[in-house]
PDB file of all heavy atoms in Angstrom:
ATOM      1  N   MET A 145      55.868  -7.974 129.835  1.00  0.00           N
ATOM      2  CA  MET A 145      54.452  -7.569 129.880  1.00  0.00           C
ATOM      3  C   MET A 145      54.247  -6.252 129.123  1.00  0.00           C
ATOM      4  O   MET A 145      53.291  -6.098 128.360  1.00  0.00           O
ATOM      5  CB  MET A 145      53.990  -7.460 131.339  1.00  0.00           C
ATOM      6  CG  MET A 145      53.894  -8.819 132.029  1.00  0.00           C
ATOM      7  SD  MET A 145      53.923  -8.724 133.828  1.00  0.00           S
ATOM      8  CE  MET A 145      52.325  -8.043 134.175  1.00  0.00           C
ATOM      9  N   VAL A 146      55.176  -5.313 129.324  1.00  0.00           N
ATOM     10  CA  VAL A 146      55.085  -4.027 128.607  1.00  0.00           C
ATOM     11  C   VAL A 146      55.163  -4.252 127.102  1.00  0.00           C
ATOM     12  O   VAL A 146      54.453  -3.595 126.329  1.00  0.00           O
ATOM     13  CB  VAL A 146      56.212  -3.075 129.079  1.00  0.00           C
ATOM     14  CG1 VAL A 146      56.458  -1.970 128.064  1.00  0.00           C
ATOM     15  CG2 VAL A 146      55.848  -2.472 130.420  1.00  0.00           C
ATOM     16  N   LYS A 147      55.998  -5.185 126.679  1.00  0.00           N
ATOM     17  CA  LYS A 147      56.146  -5.420 125.231  1.00  0.00           C
ATOM     18  C   LYS A 147      54.816  -5.826 124.597  1.00  0.00           C
ATOM     19  O   LYS A 147      54.523  -5.447 123.461  1.00  0.00           O
ATOM     20  CB  LYS A 147      57.224  -6.476 124.967  1.00  0.00           C
ATOM     21  CG  LYS A 147      58.632  -5.913 125.205  1.00  0.00           C
ATOM     22  CD  LYS A 147      59.706  -6.934 124.930  1.00  0.00           C
ATOM     23  CE  LYS A 147      61.084  -6.306 125.163  1.00  0.00           C
ATOM     24  NZ  LYS A 147      62.165  -7.295 125.157  1.00  0.00           N
ATOM     25  N   HIS A 148      53.977  -6.558 125.327  1.00  0.00           N
ATOM     26  CA  HIS A 148      52.655  -6.926 124.780  1.00  0.00           C
ATOM     27  C   HIS A 148      51.741  -5.707 124.669  1.00  0.00           C
ATOM     28  O   HIS A 148      50.970  -5.592 123.714  1.00  0.00           O
ATOM     29  CB  HIS A 148      51.994  -8.005 125.635  1.00  0.00           C
ATOM     30  CG  HIS A 148      52.748  -9.298 125.628  1.00  0.00           C
ATOM     31  ND1 HIS A 148      52.995 -10.002 124.474  1.00  0.00           N
ATOM     32  CD2 HIS A 148      53.335  -9.997 126.622  1.00  0.00           C
ATOM     33  CE1 HIS A 148      53.703 -11.080 124.763  1.00  0.00           C
ATOM     34  NE2 HIS A 148      53.915 -11.100 126.056  1.00  0.00           N
ATOM     35  N   LEU A 149      51.832  -4.795 125.671  1.00  0.00           N
ATOM     36  CA  LEU A 149      51.007  -3.578 125.602  1.00  0.00           C
ATOM     37  C   LEU A 149      51.433  -2.735 124.401  1.00  0.00           C
ATOM     38  O   LEU A 149      50.596  -2.208 123.665  1.00  0.00           O
ATOM     39  CB  LEU A 149      51.145  -2.760 126.899  1.00  0.00           C
ATOM     40  CG  LEU A 149      50.728  -3.458 128.201  1.00  0.00           C
ATOM     41  CD1 LEU A 149      50.879  -2.507 129.379  1.00  0.00           C
ATOM     42  CD2 LEU A 149      49.283  -3.954 128.114  1.00  0.00           C
ATOM     43  N   LEU A 150      52.746  -2.628 124.198  1.00  0.00           N
ATOM     44  CA  LEU A 150      53.259  -1.841 123.067  1.00  0.00           C
ATOM     45  C   LEU A 150      52.827  -2.469 121.744  1.00  0.00           C
ATOM     46  O   LEU A 150      52.400  -1.773 120.816  1.00  0.00           O
ATOM     47  CB  LEU A 150      54.793  -1.762 123.133  1.00  0.00           C
ATOM     48  CG  LEU A 150      55.370  -1.034 124.364  1.00  0.00           C
ATOM     49  CD1 LEU A 150      56.887  -1.188 124.412  1.00  0.00           C
ATOM     50  CD2 LEU A 150      54.990   0.448 124.347  1.00  0.00           C
ATOM     51  N   ALA A 151      52.908  -3.789 121.680  1.00  0.00           N
ATOM     52  CA  ALA A 151      52.535  -4.482 120.435  1.00  0.00           C
ATOM     53  C   ALA A 151      51.064  -4.269 120.104  1.00  0.00           C
ATOM     54  O   ALA A 151      50.671  -4.276 118.939  1.00  0.00           O
ATOM     55  CB  ALA A 151      52.835  -5.980 120.568  1.00  0.00           C
ATOM     56  N   ALA A 152      50.230  -4.059 121.170  1.00  0.00           N
ATOM     57  CA  ALA A 152      48.789  -3.841 120.947  1.00  0.00           C
ATOM     58  C   ALA A 152      48.492  -2.378 120.638  1.00  0.00           C
ATOM     59  O   ALA A 152      47.335  -2.012 120.436  1.00  0.00           O
ATOM     60  CB  ALA A 152      48.006  -4.282 122.180  1.00  0.00           C
ATOM     61  N   GLY A 153      49.521  -1.530 120.649  1.00  0.00           N
ATOM     62  CA  GLY A 153      49.323  -0.127 120.298  1.00  0.00           C
ATOM     63  C   GLY A 153      49.115   0.799 121.483  1.00  0.00           C
ATOM     64  O   GLY A 153      48.802   1.971 121.297  1.00  0.00           O
ATOM     65  N   CYS A 154      49.280   0.300 122.705  1.00  0.00           N
ATOM     66  CA  CYS A 154      49.174   1.190 123.868  1.00  0.00           C
ATOM     67  C   CYS A 154      50.420   2.080 123.924  1.00  0.00           C
ATOM     68  O   CYS A 154      51.519   1.624 123.620  1.00  0.00           O
ATOM     69  CB  CYS A 154      49.146   0.401 125.183  1.00  0.00           C
ATOM     70  SG  CYS A 154      47.792  -0.756 125.334  1.00  0.00           S
ATOM     71  N   ASP A 155      50.234   3.327 124.347  1.00  0.00           N
ATOM     72  CA  ASP A 155      51.380   4.186 124.658  1.00  0.00           C
ATOM     73  C   ASP A 155      51.743   3.935 126.111  1.00  0.00           C
ATOM     74  O   ASP A 155      50.869   3.995 126.988  1.00  0.00           O
ATOM     75  CB  ASP A 155      51.008   5.661 124.466  1.00  0.00           C
ATOM     76  CG  ASP A 155      50.834   5.984 122.997  1.00  0.00           C
ATOM     77  OD1 ASP A 155      51.676   5.536 122.193  1.00  0.00           O
ATOM     78  OD2 ASP A 155      49.851   6.662 122.655  1.00  0.00           O
ATOM     79  N   VAL A 156      53.000   3.628 126.367  1.00  0.00           N
ATOM     80  CA  VAL A 156      53.407   3.281 127.731  1.00  0.00           C
ATOM     81  C   VAL A 156      54.465   4.270 128.220  1.00  0.00           C
ATOM     82  O   VAL A 156      55.470   4.500 127.545  1.00  0.00           O
ATOM     83  CB  VAL A 156      53.972   1.838 127.797  1.00  0.00           C
ATOM     84  CG1 VAL A 156      54.461   1.517 129.204  1.00  0.00           C
ATOM     85  CG2 VAL A 156      52.910   0.828 127.358  1.00  0.00           C
ATOM     86  N   SER A 157      54.217   4.848 129.408  1.00  0.00           N
ATOM     87  CA  SER A 157      55.227   5.657 130.094  1.00  0.00           C
ATOM     88  C   SER A 157      55.802   4.774 131.187  1.00  0.00           C
ATOM     89  O   SER A 157      55.085   4.422 132.131  1.00  0.00           O
ATOM     90  CB  SER A 157      54.590   6.880 130.754  1.00  0.00           C
ATOM     91  OG  SER A 157      53.985   7.680 129.781  1.00  0.00           O
ATOM     92  N   GLY A 158      57.074   4.399 131.050  1.00  0.00           N
ATOM     93  CA  GLY A 158      57.654   3.424 131.973  1.00  0.00           C
ATOM     94  C   GLY A 158      58.641   4.053 132.925  1.00  0.00           C
ATOM     95  O   GLY A 158      59.309   5.036 132.603  1.00  0.00           O
ATOM     96  N   PHE A 159      58.694   3.479 134.125  1.00  0.00           N
ATOM     97  CA  PHE A 159      59.731   3.897 135.082  1.00  0.00           C
ATOM     98  C   PHE A 159      60.244   2.680 135.830  1.00  0.00           C
ATOM     99  O   PHE A 159      59.481   1.793 136.206  1.00  0.00           O
ATOM    100  CB  PHE A 159      59.196   4.915 136.104  1.00  0.00           C
ATOM    101  CG  PHE A 159      60.224   5.259 137.151  1.00  0.00           C
ATOM    102  CD1 PHE A 159      61.272   6.119 136.851  1.00  0.00           C
ATOM    103  CD2 PHE A 159      60.187   4.662 138.408  1.00  0.00           C
ATOM    104  CE1 PHE A 159      62.260   6.399 137.803  1.00  0.00           C
ATOM    105  CE2 PHE A 159      61.163   4.942 139.362  1.00  0.00           C
ATOM    106  CZ  PHE A 159      62.191   5.817 139.059  1.00  0.00           C
TER     107      PHE A 159
END
Side-chain angles (χ1 to χ4, degrees):
M145 290 160 72
V146 160
K147 286 181 179 169
H148 296 301
L149 300 182
L150 297 172
C154 300
D155 290 316
V156 177
S157 299
F159 175 77

